[in-house]
Amino acid sequence: MFSGRELDVMNALWDLGSATVSEVLETLPDDLAYTTVLTILQRLKRKGHVRHEDEGQAHRYFPLVQREEAQDNAIKRVTRKLFSDSPELLMTRMVTKGGLTKDQLEDLRDLLDERLKKRGET
């Protein structure tokens, strides 16, 4: 859905709620040119992922796609492309190779137990 740079810019917009090109630039870890960020925002606008409003001589950009929606789409795409459309294989890989801490694994176990209880399967 998003390229790496587009995702960097979207993360800035999601974190800030809305932003001008200059405000996005301030949040990015890489040293990019103003025109580069502007081009990315214009491309995101053409794709329907952001909108803008005039704010003086600048444009204020607003995300039209929610972070959670992008996360869901990314997970679906990775699951389909890399894990033979198997969420179980994805989760297995995350648990065995994801570098999760003991606390994170226990949180996952609690979440799974909770989900199973809601489905009446425990």
Side-chain angles (χ1 to χ4, degrees), residues 7-25:
L7 195 51
D8 291 340
V9 170
M10 288 301 297
N11 273 314
L13 291 177
W14 288 323
D15 290 344
L16 297 169
S18 70
T20 63
V21 175
S22 296
E23 291 168 343
V24 170
L25 265 171

Side-chain angles (χ1 to χ4, degrees), residues 56-80:
Q57 292 187 355
H59 293 305
R60 178 160 295 278
Y61 290 87
F62 298 83
L64 294 175
V65 175
Q66 298 302 311
R67 189 187 312 251
E68 293 79 13
E69 180 183 348
Q71 291 169 340
D72 291 347
N73 289 335
I75 289 169
K76 287 175 188 173
R77 185 169 185 236
V78 166
T79 302
R80 186 178 67 252

